[in-house]
Amino acid sequence: MKDFSGRIAVITGGGTGMGRELARQLVAEGCNVAMCDVSEAAMAETRRLCEVEKLPQGLRVTTHVADVAIEDHLKRFRDELAEQQKTDRIHLLFNNAGIGGGGSLFTNTREQWERTFNICWGGVYLGVRTFLPMLVAADEAHIINTASVNGFWASIGMGHAHTAYSSAKFAVKGFTEALINDLRLHAPHVKCSVVMPGHIGTSIVSNSRKVQSGDGSERLNADEVVLTRKRMVAAGVPDADKMSDEDIQAAFAERARSFREDAPTTAAQAARIILDGVKAERWRILVGEDALRLDQRVRATPEEAYERAFYESFAQEVGWRLG
């Protein structure tokens, strides 16, 4: 698919980050967009940004509140899209929604673990299941599933467990690779790609906390303060065990800010790489120089991928300051 003009794209997680930038760039290329998110306010801002430059006549940008982990929400999204976009088909499906959290089987609750897994993996699976008939109905279509470098390297450093997110992203990667032949056999006009970003400047740190807690607040609750302090101690942060609760709050806020603003790749740059990869019909889209280098390193020395020396040398090479 070399041209997005006049097409219809579905984007999950369109309220912030890469989802927002995908929407903006697709609209700029004349593509109709239907997005979903759990935050109506965030989607309203994405839509406003899409409409800053006057939309071409007849172009549609619609927003739909949905939790991608709940199949009935996605079915409602599909039905609303069909009515509001006046269509029985779509051309692009970006299964982009995701959160972090629930990293440990020991220190996180089962609910936290499964919330992350069910959004990051279940949202992709249910998204494909829900929209596949509309993709097949198009003359040509493309499924784009967002995994992560954590889909081939299940770590963010030695001081942090990362099992829920990594498990989900490995599942997304394997599912998408399996889809390649499934689509060739049964719907050869539909293509698919797995996207594996490195560190992208998004609000995933703060957004994940809001979704996991369900309170929408920017501040940690009492249990989260305790857990964050333990993580900082485990990561070797000097005097973390002596920090006040407010110091912990400030440290979390700074981590969220730094993850968003100090990343080596912006969300806008990531969206451009993804859309260029779709046009080139690449089934495997690595996003960011750090993703490219990490892929090379893991392939070269897979048995060393989870040793401290591997992480520390790689973090120094690419300038990662995670944790």
Side-chain angles (χ1 to χ4, degrees):
M1 193 180 303
K2 307 300 183 185
D3 186 0
F4 300 140
S5 178
R7 304 291 188 171
I8 301 173
V10 167
I11 304 171
T12 68
T16 60
M18 291 194 304
R20 171 176 288 176
E21 296 303 327
L22 284 167
R24 295 180 69 183
Q25 293 182 31
L26 284 164
V27 167
E29 295 193 36
C31 186
N32 299 285
V33 168
M35 75 187 85
C36 79
D37 201 283
V38 293
S39 172
E40 189 169 12
M43 285 190 292
E45 176 61 10
T46 298
R47 183 171 181 171
R48 185 192 69 80
L49 290 169
C50 288
E51 294 173 347
V52 166
E53 300 294 334
K54 189 175 181 181
L55 295 180
Q57 187 173 6
L59 198 68
R60 297 185 178 94
V61 179
T62 58
T63 61
H64 311 263
V65 176
D67 181 336
V68 297
I70 302 174
E71 188 170 11
D72 284 347
H73 284 204
L74 285 173
K75 288 180 176 178
R76 186 185 67 225
F77 173 26
R78 177 200 60 202
D79 294 344
E80 291 175 355
L81 176 162
E83 180 181 359
Q84 295 177 28
Q85 296 272 353
K86 297 179 173 56
T87 186
D88 62 353
R89 65 201 61 196
I90 63 171
H91 305 89
L92 295 156
L93 171 62
F94 293 88
N95 284 308
N96 164 79
I99 64 167
S104 174
L105 287 172
F106 297 89
T107 60
N108 292 104
T109 65
R110 178 170 179 167
E111 289 73 21
Q112 290 171 327
W113 203 99
E114 292 184 357
R115 183 74 174 128
T116 298
F117 188 82
N118 290 342
I119 289 174
C120 292
W121 155 242
V124 171
Y125 168 68
L126 293 174
V128 172
R129 278 285 190 193
T130 300
F131 289 101
L132 190 60
M134 297 185 80
L135 291 159
V136 172
D139 58 341
E140 61 175 342
H142 205 120
I143 300 166
I144 304 94
N145 295 330
T146 299
S148 165
V149 293
N150 292 130
F152 60 79
W153 183 68
S155 175
I156 53 170
M158 308 309 295
H160 300 273
H162 203 47
T163 59
Y165 187 84
S166 295
S167 298
K169 296 304 186 179
F170 265 79
V172 171
K173 179 175 179 288
F175 174 62
T176 311
E177 292 190 24
L179 268 180
I180 293 171
N181 204 50
D182 203 355
L183 291 170
R184 283 175 180 166
L185 290 171
H186 302 289
H189 63 297
V190 181
K191 311 300 181 185
C192 66
S193 299
V194 59
V195 175
M196 292 177 284
H199 180 185
I200 310 300
T202 72
S203 298
I204 191 172
V205 173
S206 55
N207 286 347
S208 297
R209 192 260 145 207
K210 292 177 184 177
V211 172
Q212 288 282 9
S213 66
D215 63 13
S217 172
E218 297 284 349
R219 289 176 61 82
L220 302 173
N221 61 38
D223 290 340
E224 290 168 333
V225 168
V226 171
L227 185 57
T228 300
R229 182 182 284 109
K230 288 180 179 178
R231 286 174 178 167
M232 292 173 68
V233 171
V237 176
D239 296 323
D241 57 333
K242 301 175 183 177
M243 293 172 66
S244 69
D245 289 358
E246 281 305 312
D247 289 338
I248 297 295
Q249 295 279 4
F252 175 79
E254 171 56 22
R255 177 171 175 256
R257 183 212 63 79
S258 179
F259 191 94
R260 181 180 64 252
E261 298 179 12
D262 300 335
T265 306
T266 67
Q269 290 170 331
R272 184 74 269 151
I273 292 168
I274 294 167
L275 294 179
D276 287 347
V278 172
K279 289 179 179 178
E281 292 192 356
R282 298 208 317 270
W283 71 262
R284 190 171 189 269
I285 304 173
L286 291 164
V287 182
E289 183 64 25
D290 54 346
L292 293 167
R293 293 186 188 184
L294 183 58
D295 180 54
Q296 293 167 356
R297 279 195 172 218
V298 172
R299 288 173 179 275
T301 57
E303 293 291 335
E304 298 174 15
Y306 300 107
E307 300 301 322
R308 181 173 295 276
F310 179 98
Y311 171 74
E312 290 179 348
S313 64
F314 176 73
Q316 183 176 17
E317 177 185 336
V318 301
W320 273 9
R321 296 187 300 278
L322 304 183

